[in-house]
């Protein structure tokens, strides 16, 4: 949108409260559908650095407390994580000054903006800073995704939070952009404080259950804005020589696991293959039967990646967790003794079948460019714990001449 047109649109929106983002322009449109995230601790929590020196701008390794990671796990491939710039304790003004330029440089389709509580006592400055963030994103043809501020459990801040969230909801309507209402999700209507089930006890942040719930709200809210088909092409046959791992659909059981995968099976765990209507081929299935709780780790073939090349990786998975246990996935740098991770997740809650996707340009300056995918079931998996994974699709887009 050129500056003159944008100015006219803003003026019209201010007069008529008409959306700047029309359905025909942005809802269900094509393109890469990359989403960047900026904000304060609400986004930064549960996000860990991967390889040494990495600043988490381009990749994400997430733990149970990260709603961004949960949203990625359960995205069903409808959008791609483009990176984040988030710092705990930052005001809206600091996010505007330091993190907005990073998001603008990434040139995503959309940018989540989740901050404001840390500068809520500077109310007018916070509103002005957030409005600048939104309008600058729009001017760059990046759609803002506005997230309301979660509860703050003291009387003074609670009143200001409610005022700020009224403004955020109104601004989202005026701009015609998505609103993720975390405050409504997390707030006990009878007390205007945190719902105990979602609070981590500090009166400011969500626990892991809250992170997962917010991620579901995120994906549900964005669904009308995204095409009904995924942004990622999962392999549906094998062998496929165009892939870095040519046996993506787990058809043949070889050794303990399946072709292209090896590792160690924990005591009390068994490996089978399962069918699913939404998965091509088979799901590699690891089930704990209660006779033990040993650690299971299985890894894919090691690949040498090239700095500057564009890659993408995705798989479908499901985790049933009736008691203790967790699942970790990482694209791990070799040798194993260092195993710095490029991206991945570590969660201790079950989830339904979802599609995890990641696309990235390989950075320069690493100590090693050999990587392999690795999954681990540990933390004493209980009887009935089941992890399933299938359609593991890993492509060198540059090598294929696709990009």
């Amino acid at each position: 949108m050129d500056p003159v047109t944008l100015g006219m649109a803003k003026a019209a929106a201010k007069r008529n409260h008409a959306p700047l983002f029309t359905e025909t322009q942005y809802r269900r449109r094509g393109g890469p559908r990359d989403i960047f995230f900026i904000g304060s601790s609400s986004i930064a929590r549960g996000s860990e650095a991967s390889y040494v020196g990495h600043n988490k701008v381009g990749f994400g390794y997430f733990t149970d407390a990260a709603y961004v990671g949960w949203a990625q796990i359960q995205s069903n491939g409808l959008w791609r994580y483009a990176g984040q710039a988030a710092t705990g304790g930052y005001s809206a003004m600091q996010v505007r000054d330091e993190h907005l330029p990073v998001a603008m440089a990434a040139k995503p389709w959309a940018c989540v903006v989740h901050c404001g509580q840390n500068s809520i006592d500077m109310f007018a400055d916070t509103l002005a800073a957030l409005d600048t963030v939104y309008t600058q994103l729009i001017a760059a043809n990046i759609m803002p995704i506005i997230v309301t501020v979660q509860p703050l459990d003291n009387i003074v801040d609670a009143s200001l939070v409610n005022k700020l969230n009224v403004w955020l909801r109104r601004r989202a309507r005026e701009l015609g952009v998505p609103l993720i209402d975390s405050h409504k999700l997390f707030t006990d209507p009878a007390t205007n404080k945190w719902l105990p089930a979602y609070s981590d006890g500090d009166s400011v942040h969500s626990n892991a259950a809250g992170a997962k719930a917010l991620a579901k709200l995120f994906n549900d809210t964005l669904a009308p804005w995204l095409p009904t088909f995924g942004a990622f092409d999962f392999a549906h046959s094998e062998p496929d020589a165009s892939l870095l791992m040519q046996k993506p659909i787990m058809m043949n059981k070889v050794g303990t696991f399946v072709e292209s995968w090896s590792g160690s099976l924990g005591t009390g765990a068994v490996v089978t293959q399962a069918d699913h209507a939404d998965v091509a081929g088979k799901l590699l299935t690891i089930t704990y039967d209660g006779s033990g709780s040993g650690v299971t780790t299985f890894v894919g073939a090691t690949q040498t990646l090239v700095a500057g090349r564009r890659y993408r990786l995705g798989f479908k998975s499901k985790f049933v967790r009736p008691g203790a246990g967790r699942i970790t996935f990482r694209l791990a740098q070799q040798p194993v003794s260092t195993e710095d991770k490029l991206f991945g997740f570590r969660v201790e809650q079950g989830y339904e079948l979802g599609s995890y996707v990641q696309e990235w340009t390989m950075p320069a300056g690493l100590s090693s460019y050999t990587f392999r995918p690795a999954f681990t079931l540990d933390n004493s998996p209980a009887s009935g714990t089941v992890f399933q994974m299938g359609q593991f699709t890993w492509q060198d887009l540059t090598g294929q001449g696709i990009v």
Side-chain angles (χ1 to χ4, degrees):
M1 189 180 293
D2 63 75
V4 174
T5 304
L6 178 65
M8 294 173 64
K10 286 181 180 178
K14 188 174 182 179
R15 291 193 305 271
N16 305 319
H17 301 292
L20 288 177
F21 283 76
T22 66
E23 185 165 339
T24 54
Q25 277 183 300
Y26 288 93
R27 289 191 180 221
R28 300 198 184 282
R29 79 175 193 175
R33 304 191 295 281
D34 292 342
I35 300 179
F36 201 90
F37 295 77
I38 61 174
S40 55
S41 59
S42 300
I43 289 175
R45 277 169 63 86
S47 176
E48 294 186 357
S50 57
Y51 62 84
V52 176
H54 177 44
N55 60 9
K56 297 181 288 189
V57 169
F59 316 100
Y61 182 83
F62 298 104
T63 68
D64 222 32
Y67 85 84
V68 178
W70 276 111
Q72 189 180 14
I73 292 170
Q74 295 287 68
S75 69
N76 288 319
L78 295 179
W79 56 272
R80 294 196 313 237
Y81 174 80
Q84 70 179 53
T87 305
Y90 263 29
S91 67
M93 292 72 83
Q94 288 173 301
V95 171
R96 174 199 61 200
D97 295 342
E98 296 184 32
H99 293 332
L100 175 61
V102 182
M104 301 273 281
K107 299 180 180 178
W109 165 67
C111 180
V112 173
V113 183
H114 192 172
C115 60
Q117 70 270 21
N118 295 316
S119 53
I120 202 163
D121 56 331
M122 296 177 282
F123 197 76
D125 290 340
T126 294
L127 298 192
L130 289 170
D131 208 42
T132 297
V133 171
Y134 305 148
T135 54
Q136 288 195 15
L137 288 170
I138 290 170
N141 203 32
I142 300 168
M143 183 175 72
I145 299 172
I146 298 175
V147 186
T148 57
V149 172
Q150 62 268 31
L152 296 176
D153 284 354
N154 66 70
I155 294 174
V156 175
D157 284 348
S159 177
L160 290 174
V161 164
N162 289 345
K163 284 177 58 178
L164 176 57
N165 285 332
V166 168
W167 182 87
L168 290 171
R169 296 183 187 104
R170 180 183 180 188
R171 201 70 187 104
R173 289 193 297 269
E174 291 172 348
L175 297 175
V177 302
L179 176 85
I180 314 298
D181 202 338
S182 73
H183 187 268
K184 183 177 180 181
L185 174 69
F186 290 147
T187 303
D188 184 340
T191 64
N192 199 34
K193 295 184 178 182
W194 274 92
L195 284 168
Y198 289 150
S199 172
D200 80 345
D202 69 356
S203 301
V204 178
H205 299 106
S206 69
N207 58 16
K212 184 182 176 186
L214 183 55
K216 183 180 186 304
L217 177 63
F218 180 88
N219 283 322
D220 288 349
T221 302
L222 283 188
W225 294 82
L226 297 165
T228 55
F229 56 90
F232 186 90
D233 301 314
F234 286 94
H236 58 271
S237 61
E238 62 180 41
D240 186 342
S242 71
L243 303 177
L244 292 180
M245 292 176 60
Q246 298 181 15
K247 300 295 183 70
I249 62 171
M250 316 291 171
M251 288 297 293
N252 300 311
K253 194 172 186 300
V254 174
T256 303
F257 297 96
V258 295
E259 282 186 292
S260 301
W261 296 86
S262 62
S264 59
L265 191 64
T267 57
V270 295
V271 175
T272 57
Q273 292 165 287
D275 296 310
H276 193 287
D278 295 325
V279 178
K282 301 288 185 180
L283 282 166
L284 170 63
T285 301
I286 300 170
T287 304
Y288 278 80
D289 64 10
S291 63
S293 58
V295 175
T296 293
T297 293
F298 61 101
V299 299
T302 298
Q303 304 293 329
T304 299
L305 307 183
V306 179
R309 285 196 177 186
R310 189 78 174 168
Y311 296 90
R312 67 176 181 177
L313 180 154
F315 57 87
K316 298 180 181 180
S317 68
K318 178 180 178 179
F319 186 35
V320 177
R321 183 182 179 272
R326 67 184 170 196
I327 181 67
T328 301
F329 161 71
R330 63 274 190 204
L331 188 64
Q333 189 182 46
Q334 298 302 297
V336 176
S337 59
T338 58
E339 201 184 71
D340 287 329
K341 51 197 179 290
L342 195 63
F343 52 77
F345 58 83
R346 182 179 73 250
V347 298
E348 299 181 38
Q349 298 177 79
Y351 58 86
E352 294 302 311
L353 186 74
S355 300
Y356 173 91
V357 301
Q358 183 75 51
E359 185 171 320
W360 73 100
T361 299
M362 201 64 196
L366 301 187
S367 60
S368 172
Y369 284 92
T370 54
F371 282 82
R372 69 181 182 186
F375 293 85
T376 296
L377 278 158
D378 66 353
N379 204 26
S380 302
S383 175
T385 297
V386 182
F387 178 69
Q388 296 181 295
M389 188 273 289
Q391 283 187 272
F392 190 93
T393 307
W394 189 3
Q395 296 168 288
D396 178 351
L397 298 176
T398 305
Q400 292 179 352
I402 295 174
V403 296

